[in-house]
């Protein structure tokens, strides 16, 4: 009988991978990190313009989770209208190789056309991505 993963505390080889992926868990977190890495400090509405498909509520939620994880910093300026800047922390910057590797793999293997995503197989065929 197998034990639940949560009970495998001694020797679980996938733990570092799973833990790292948990910081990127969420549809927009990786995209947010990618834009902050490429553009530097961005305001909330600048992020919305970079990611037009995200709702304001979801972007706020994902930003808060990234801030709670220590990957981004949030600076509020006491002006009217409110101004909030988001930037990567040193911990967030340390994820640059991870995000770069994901982009590189996607550039090589993923095709996005006509609103659909496909994975390019070694044989050159396209298969609908799950």
């Amino acid at each position: 009988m197998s034990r639940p993963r949560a009970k495998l505390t001694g020797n679980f080889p996938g733990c570092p991978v799973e833990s790292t992926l948990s910081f990127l868990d969420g549809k927009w977190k990786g995209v947010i990190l990618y834009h902050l890495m490429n553009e530097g400090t961005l305001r909330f509405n600048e992020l919305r313009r970079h990611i037009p498909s995200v709702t304001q509520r979801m972007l706020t939620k994902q930003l808060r989770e990234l801030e709670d994880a220590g990957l981004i910093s949030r600076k509020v300026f006491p002006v009217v209208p409110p101004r909030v800047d988001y930037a990567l922390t040193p911990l967030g910057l340390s994820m640059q190789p991870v995000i770069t590797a994901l982009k590189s793999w996607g550039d090589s293997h993923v095709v996005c056309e006509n609103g659909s995503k496909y994975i390019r197989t070694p044989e050159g065929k396209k298969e609908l991505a799950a």
Side-chain angles (χ1 to χ4, degrees):
M1 179 174 188
S2 66
R3 296 188 302 167
R5 190 179 318 172
K7 305 234 183 213
L8 297 173
T9 56
N11 187 15
F12 179 52
C15 184
V17 173
E18 187 173 10
S19 297
T20 303
L21 287 173
S22 73
F23 290 110
L24 299 175
D25 190 20
K27 186 171 183 178
W28 304 108
K29 287 181 186 175
V31 178
I32 292 167
L33 292 173
Y34 172 77
H35 286 299
L36 290 173
M37 283 176 191
N38 287 327
E39 304 289 327
T41 301
L42 291 172
R43 293 169 137 180
F44 183 85
N45 282 329
E46 289 174 320
L47 278 167
R48 283 203 66 194
R49 280 192 288 277
H50 282 292
I51 315 168
S53 303
V54 69
T55 64
Q56 181 172 339
R57 180 176 179 220
M58 182 55 68
L59 180 58
T60 299
K61 180 180 183 283
Q62 301 278 278
L63 287 167
R64 284 185 184 149
E65 290 176 9
L66 287 167
E67 184 182 9
D68 289 344
L71 297 175
I72 65 170
S73 63
R74 178 179 186 261
K75 184 172 183 181
V76 180
F77 295 88
V79 294
V80 177
R83 176 180 160 199
V84 181
D85 285 352
Y86 293 93
L88 292 172
T89 63
L91 182 62
L93 281 169
S94 72
M95 290 200 81
Q96 189 161 7
V98 176
I99 301 297
T100 303
L102 288 170
K103 182 186 181 315
S104 177
W105 189 90
D107 287 343
S108 298
H109 299 350
V110 178
V111 177
C112 297
E113 56 187 24
N114 302 323
S116 297
K117 293 180 210 169
Y118 298 90
I119 293 180
R120 193 176 300 125
T121 64
E123 298 83 32
K125 299 176 186 174
K126 296 179 190 175
E127 295 180 3
L128 187 57

